[in-house]
Amino acid sequence: MSARNIARFWEWGRKIICVGRNYADHAIELKNAIPSEPVLFLKPPSAYVREGSPILLPFYTSNLHHEVELGVVIGKGGTAIPQSSAMEHVAGYVLCLDMTARDIQDECKSKGLPWTLAKAFNTSCPISDFIPKEKIPNPGSINLWLKVNDIVKQNGSTSQMIFSIPYLINYISEIISLEEGDLILTGTPKGVSSVQEQDELQAGIDGIVTMTFKVDRKS
Ligand SMILES: CC(=O)CC(=O)C(=O)O
Ligand SMILES: [Mg+2]
């Protein structure tokens, strides 16, 4: 049997841990408070979708938003990982979209309900090819962008993150043990907006990766 390949981590069925409100400009655009501790939620592995397959609009939303984010792929698991050694647990990165049914999220927030329907549906986590750690020596200072039908909507630097990658790895692993093949979505900068059926989303990390996804309705 061939050895498992971290470059195809999404096939392993591991956890997707998402950090919300990690950019002050995005918290402000949605009129959310700037958090003093990371806001966490989960997506199931069935959320993954790769280039060549569409992002499927859930039937129950009329306001699906894109959120472009840097994803951190865990290469070595652990519990209560100190910040000082956190980067030793990183195998690499992916560019991700945290697709969000914003109308449903708003409704859940107002009723005090969890965000599962808004955030965890099938195809809610489009990802790029795996980017080995060496290709991004300074993940705390890279530029993420996203266009809808060739119009720039998001363009922000990871230097604007409130909580750094080592801080997040330490914080999360104190609560949820991290395993090889887990993915951490690190939050989105400002500029989120609504997408429609047949829209084309293109996203990239300057000089590193680009990816393209079409939005479609389940046939
Ligand atoms: C309000 C949100 O949807 C939080 C989130 O996912 C983010 O990236 O910020
Ligand atoms: Mg997000």
Side-chain angles (χ1 to χ4, degrees):
M1 201 165 73
S2 61
R4 283 190 318 179
N5 180 359
I6 190 76
R8 297 188 69 82
F9 70 94
W10 59 86
E11 293 176 346
W12 303 2
R14 291 283 162 81
K15 302 184 286 299
I16 307 172
I17 303 139
C18 307
V19 179
R21 302 177 190 165
N22 199 22
Y23 289 74
D25 58 3
H26 172 60
I28 290 165
E29 77 178 340
L30 292 189
K31 299 185 174 53
N32 291 315
I34 294 171
S36 52
E37 291 207 335
V39 174
L40 301 184
F41 57 93
L42 296 170
K43 289 180 189 274
S46 47
Y48 281 129
V49 60
R50 300 269 301 137
E51 264 186 302
S53 296
I55 299 166
L56 295 174
L57 273 162
F59 64 87
Y60 49 80
T61 181
S62 51
N63 194 14
L64 182 65
H65 274 196
H66 56 78
E67 295 188 359
V68 70
E69 310 200 3
L70 179 66
V72 178
V73 181
I74 298 299
K76 187 173 76 172
T79 303
I81 298 166
Q83 279 195 61
S84 56
S85 56
M87 294 311 286
E88 294 165 23
H89 292 255
V90 174
Y93 305 93
V94 279
L95 186 63
C96 310
L97 304 184
D98 169 15
M99 298 306 296
T100 303
R102 194 70 70 198
D103 46 353
I104 307 301
Q105 186 190 33
D106 289 345
E107 198 180 318
C108 292
K109 281 191 321 203
S110 70
K111 291 181 179 164
L113 293 172
W115 295 356
T116 310
L117 263 66
K119 292 282 198 180
F121 53 88
N122 291 344
T123 76
S124 62
C125 191
I127 53 167
S128 71
D129 286 344
F130 176 77
I131 305 159
K133 187 182 182 176
E134 304 68 46
K135 282 202 158 181
I136 305 188
N138 188 1
S141 183
I142 54 166
N143 212 57
L144 313 176
W145 56 266
L146 179 137
K147 296 179 188 174
V148 180
N149 302 329
D150 233 17
I151 297 168
V152 178
K153 298 286 185 179
Q154 293 190 270
N155 189 359
S157 169
T158 53
S159 62
Q160 298 163 332
M161 283 185 194
I162 298 170
F163 304 106
S164 69
I165 294 169
Y167 185 95
L168 292 172
I169 290 175
N170 169 254
Y171 183 89
I172 293 167
S173 68
E174 293 262 13
I175 303 163
I176 304 170
S177 291
L178 290 171
E179 299 165 279
E180 187 186 11
D182 285 350
L183 177 67
I184 301 173
L185 268 64
T186 56
T188 197
K190 73 170 181 203
V192 300
S193 71
S194 201
V195 300
Q196 316 297 330
E197 195 175 343
Q198 298 308 316
D199 278 352
E200 187 179 83
L201 309 191
Q202 201 185 10
I205 302 174
D206 286 350
I208 307 279
V209 77
T210 60
M211 63 182 191
T212 305
F213 286 88
K214 192 122 188 210
V215 180
D216 210 345
R217 206 165 276 285
K218 197 172 164 199
S219 48

